[in-house]
Amino acid sequence: GQNIDQPTEMTATEGAIVQINCTYQTSGFNGLFWYQQHAGEAPTFLSYNVLDGLEEKGRFSSFLSRSKGYSYLLLKELQMKDSASYLCAVRPDYKLSFGAGTTVTVRA
Amino acid sequence: GAVVSQHPSWVICKSGTSVKIECRSLDFQATTMFWYRQFPKQSLMLMATSNEGSKATYEQGVEKDKFLINHASLTLSTLTVTSAHPEDSSFYICSATPSGRAQETQYFGPGTRLLVL
């Protein structure tokens, strides 16, 4: 089976930075994805890492270390609208395996 | 970007009835689509992989006779929940990856919320 771990909840202040960690143990590796999901809505794609290193996309960045089975999503300059669940997903083959998600609450 | 639609967005039905949910890729073709289920405050759980022109592949523990999947065209997959019961109440989400672009992300539909009374 696949094992993907991420913290359950995180709270941060508007304008701050939050880092969401994700560790994984999977039968294969064909990419790691981060998605944002607001309550009652479907996930939306944030980032994709398949090689080691940092991918930056505006206020969001994602890092991957394949040897350590580790990734993080960095959210900078937090805004209230960033309050959501953030899902780490690994693609061992052609399917996605999701972590349980990290609920981020942004406070004023 | 690639757009995936689902219909209906909400459905309420009586126990014992069947419900059909449609998933459409609007601006791309998808040989493969995926069906997920999400219970409150839980993550997405893959139910099955829908393959155009062939039988769906179900995940362990998912009853194929209860959750019928048909992928008759490159832009449409349907999930039918047969003889629905209250425990089937959930948020059902489909996703698709453009044909020939398997390395891309899956694009998710907006989801269908099912409530079985």
Side-chain angles (χ1 to χ4, degrees), chain B residues 13-74:
Chain B
C13 68
K14 293 181 180 179
S15 185
T17 60
S18 294
V19 175
K20 180 186 281 188
I21 302 171
E22 293 186 348
C23 176
R24 293 181 184 274
S25 55
L26 298 184
D27 51 0
F28 65 97
Q29 294 183 331
T31 308
T32 302
M33 293 183 173
F34 302 90
W35 285 98
Y36 296 86
R37 181 168 51 181
Q38 186 176 34
F39 293 106
K41 297 192 176 183
Q42 295 186 23
S43 193
L44 277 73
M45 295 300 296
L46 180 65
M47 299 175 66
T49 303
S50 173
N51 304 298
E52 187 269 336
S54 64
K55 292 182 179 180
T57 305
Y58 290 82
E59 295 300 300
Q60 191 172 8
V62 178
E63 301 174 57
K64 62 180 182 180
D65 294 330
K66 180 169 181 63
F67 298 99
L68 301 179
I69 290 173
N70 184 277
H71 194 154
S73 79
L74 287 171

